[in-house]
Amino acid sequence: MNSLWAGGQQETIKRKEEEAQPGKTMLLLVKLSRRLLPHRRRFLLCRKAECTSATRASLDGALSALRSVCGEDSVLLGEAVREQHGRDESVHRCCPPDVVVFPHCVEEVSALAKVCHKHRLPIIPFGTGTGLEGGVSAVQGGVCFSLRKMEQVLDLHQEDFDVTVEPGVTRKALNAYLRDTGLWFPVDPGADASLCGMAATSASGTNAVRYGTMRENVLNLEVVLADGTVVHTAGKGRHPRKTSAGYNLTNLFVGSEGTLGILTKTTLRLYGVPEVVVSAVCSFPSVQSAVDSTVQILQSGVPIARIEFLDEVMVDACNRFSSLSYPVTPTLFLEFHGSEGGLEGQVKTAEDISQSNGGSDFQWAVDVETRNLLWKARHDAWYAALALRPGCKAYATDVCVPLSRLPQIIVETKQDLVENRLTGPIAGHVGDGNFHCLMVLDPGDPEEVQRVHLFTERLARRALAMDGTCTGEHGVGLGKRALLCEELGHAAMQVTSSLKQMLDPMNLMNPGKILQPRGG
């Protein structure tokens, strides 16, 4: 029960207790949540004071050294900028760092890390702040490394289908850069996240069913470790499409959420822009029939690019928010990439399977403008869900299961939502077994907050019971640390802890994320 649904309640507990006994404090928070929540005026509390701050003496001793590395204007202490860098798009409270630095190159990142290492200051990497599990919260204070000024696209190898980028380059910026090359980078989590941030969280998205996740598309990483050492996980400058040389260090850092090092460059696979792209929408009489169609389409070998599921609650929300008129029933959004001659058979197979499960005729989106409107509606699902209950807050949680278990878990999850009177539209990248519940709740209703909290834990454990994972793409961050222990088991968690201890013995890199607090 280490979830931070009781986020912000630490104001009621003395700082001394918080520093001395982090594990006991968190347990106490959960036990006191029902008693404390009715007295809160806001669900999300942006703390004015630091969270378990690094000692003032250490910070004061480091400031001049930090400024000497990247300049006075790139070391900021203002409350507004610290709060901006102490939160992401999750429900977790704002925990601002003590200072925010803006390095311009890997040499500055390395030098800044050495300063933090010397003064034992926590280091929190920050990309665009689009995470959903509190990954940028400075739970022990320290120094936030905001990487947005490192925004160069480097070493584009068109003939090799790869490119190297700095951490300030976002997904949309890279594809804009590639526009006239005939290449693109397809991993699309919806948000315009930074590409190194996407690697750090092992992001996925709507195109994963055909092109894979970040884990399959990162060829090499440049990483700055806690002591300032610069490492190239596949060797400096190397970018082969595959390798069997030694341990896979690249994948060790993909998904590490800033707990092992700062990603300062990533080398990515690129793909040829497909000759033809067509999208379609198909409505179904039930959740079961829609998800059965998904599984059967994939089993048939159709190389579909995207296959997204929206339940009837989500479709209704998207209709209202994006001025659409789709039938308010469980729905699939599909997209096919290929050549003019090759797509015809794929599309017919998918349509036949859908209709055999009671699906409607496909509604086509062939031209770019219509396709963009369709997928914008899908990407705006978060805001559409929020609009269902103005004044409420949203919490997105995700799980992933083997495809064969997908129909069962979605049907059971829908039943759980109805039985517990919860608003939780479902949208998912069902082509790889991953789906999201966008929970919309009243922050002033502690009883509803508790019901949502219990629901999310049941959902995760339901996925684990079906041999799945507690998070398909959002990451562990703060909220799913206990669930990760259940998922991996004691022995694997010991190995994970040992790797962290070896690479970051002073626990400076984004402390409090993924692993349970030491001694907690």
Side-chain angles (χ1 to χ4, degrees):
M1 292 287 286
N2 282 297
S3 169
L4 292 193
W5 271 94
Q9 294 170 354
Q10 290 181 335
E11 279 70 28
T12 64
I13 296 178
K14 292 180 181 179
R15 177 76 52 89
K16 189 178 297 184
E17 292 178 354
E18 190 175 279
E19 293 177 350
Q21 305 181 61
K24 292 181 180 178
T25 296
M26 191 57 63
L27 181 60
L28 179 61
L29 286 176
V30 174
K31 290 180 177 178
L32 292 178
S33 61
R34 282 186 177 273
R35 182 150 48 98
L36 294 175
L37 277 169
H39 301 291
R40 298 178 64 209
R41 299 183 65 179
R42 296 176 62 197
F43 179 59
L44 299 179
L45 177 63
C46 187
R47 299 183 64 176
K48 302 299 181 183
E50 296 83 1
C51 300
T52 316
S53 175
T55 65
R56 177 57 53 185
S58 294
L59 182 63
D60 290 345
L63 282 175
S64 60
L66 294 173
R67 290 178 177 128
S68 70
V69 171
C70 55
E72 185 86 22
D73 294 341
S74 295
V75 179
L76 302 183
L77 295 163
E79 183 177 297
V81 71
R82 291 191 300 111
E83 289 182 353
Q84 176 191 349
H85 287 82
R87 63 159 70 90
D88 56 16
E89 294 186 3
S90 71
V91 298
H92 299 287
R93 72 188 185 280
C94 174
C95 267
D98 297 302
V99 59
V100 183
V101 297
F102 295 86
H104 300 83
C105 59
V106 63
E107 290 78 14
E108 289 188 1
V109 174
S110 175
L112 291 167
K114 289 176 182 177
V115 173
C116 293
H117 190 264
K118 176 181 177 181
H119 294 273
R120 300 199 170 205
L121 292 168
I123 297 170
I124 305 94
F126 188 97
T128 57
T130 55
L132 293 167
E133 287 296 343
V136 299
S137 295
V139 294
Q140 295 182 19
V143 182
C144 173
F145 283 50
S146 184
L147 303 167
R148 70 185 189 197
K149 292 187 178 181
M150 298 172 64
E151 53 184 1
Q152 297 298 308
V153 176
L154 308 167
D155 301 327
L156 171 62
H157 300 109
Q158 290 182 240
E159 66 281 9
D160 296 324
F161 290 80
D162 63 62
V163 67
T164 300
V165 300
E166 290 185 324
V169 179
T170 66
R171 173 180 62 84
K172 289 182 180 178
L174 175 60
N175 280 324
Y177 181 92
L178 296 171
R179 185 175 292 127
D180 297 326
T181 66
L183 302 173
W184 72 312
F185 184 70
V187 181
D188 178 6
D192 188 24
S194 66
L195 290 157
C196 282
M198 288 168 59
T201 56
S202 191
S204 181
T206 57
N207 284 314
V209 65
R210 176 158 183 170
Y211 299 100
T213 71
M214 289 300 289
R215 202 171 287 281
E216 291 80 43
N217 285 287
V218 175
L219 300 174
N220 199 351
L221 289 166
E222 178 184 80
V223 184
V224 177
L225 302 181
D227 64 358
T229 301
V230 179
V231 174
H232 297 87
T233 59
K236 188 172 183 179
R238 302 193 186 283
H239 53 107
R241 300 289 284 185
K242 64 178 181 178
T243 176
S244 59
Y247 299 148
N248 192 333
L249 296 182
T250 301
N251 263 347
L252 174 62
F253 286 92
V254 173
S256 62
E257 301 184 33
T259 62
L260 300 179
I262 306 168
L263 309 188
T264 51
K265 288 188 184 71
T266 180
T267 301
L268 304 167
R269 293 175 182 264
L270 299 177
Y271 296 80
V273 174
E275 179 185 340
V276 179
V277 177
V278 295
S279 299
V281 179
C282 184
S283 301
F284 290 85
S286 68
V287 172
Q288 184 79 43
S289 59
V291 180
D292 283 347
S293 294
T294 299
V295 174
Q296 291 166 23
I297 288 170
L298 294 172
Q299 289 173 335
S300 73
V302 173
I304 196 164
R306 309 190 202 192
I307 184 162
E308 297 285 295
F309 171 81
L310 281 69
D311 74 352
E312 70 278 4
V313 181
M314 192 75 260
V315 171
D316 185 42
C318 288
N319 279 347
R320 298 183 189 193
F321 187 79
S322 300
S323 300
L324 301 172
S325 56
Y326 294 123
V328 182
T329 62
T331 298
L332 292 180
F333 285 18
L334 308 97
E335 188 165 279
F336 305 84
H337 295 179
S339 63
E340 187 121 18
L343 281 185
E344 186 175 347
Q346 297 179 28
V347 170
K348 186 173 189 316
T349 298
E351 192 166 21
D352 288 347
I353 290 172
S354 298
Q355 290 176 349
S356 72
N357 284 292
S360 66
D361 291 338
F362 280 9
Q363 299 181 50
W364 295 104
V366 178
D367 62 278
V368 173
E369 183 178 356
T370 307
R371 287 203 321 272
N372 287 344
L373 285 173
L374 185 155
W375 290 109
K376 184 178 187 303
R378 167 63 185 88
H379 287 321
D380 285 346
W382 171 273
Y383 305 103
L386 271 175
L388 289 173
R389 297 178 65 185
C392 288
K393 299 292 182 182
Y395 169 61
T397 187
D398 81 314
V399 296
C400 187
V401 296
L403 283 174
S404 62
R405 309 303 295 273
L406 192 58
Q408 179 185 353
I409 192 171
I410 291 184
V411 169
E412 290 181 8
T413 300
K414 291 281 294 178
Q415 292 171 346
D416 194 343
L417 289 165
V418 171
E419 290 171 3
N420 288 280
R421 310 182 317 281
L422 294 171
T423 303
I426 292 176
H429 319 310
V430 290
D432 52 15
N434 180 209
F435 71 95
H436 311 263
C437 285
L438 307 182
M439 307 305 299
V440 186
L441 66 160
D442 179 1
D445 183 346
E447 194 272 335
E448 184 181 16
V449 170
Q450 180 70 359
R451 279 189 286 123
V452 170
H453 168 53
L454 294 174
F455 165 81
T456 59
E457 293 211 335
R458 284 195 304 273
L459 173 60
R461 291 193 169 96
R462 188 178 297 128
L464 295 181
M466 295 182 184
D467 300 323
T469 175
C470 66
T471 175
E473 62 183 20
H474 291 179
V476 174
L478 288 167
K480 293 188 174 180
R481 293 174 298 177
L483 291 163
L484 179 67
C485 295
E486 295 177 28
E487 180 171 329
L488 297 186
H490 178 71
M493 287 304 300
Q494 286 291 100
V495 173
T496 303
S497 297
S498 297
L499 288 168
K500 168 73 169 173
Q501 177 70 27
M502 182 190 68
L503 292 171
D504 181 20
M506 292 195 292
N507 193 28
L508 300 181
M509 289 304 312
N510 210 7
K513 316 300 164 48
I514 299 183
L515 296 168
Q516 303 280 17
R518 293 180 186 175

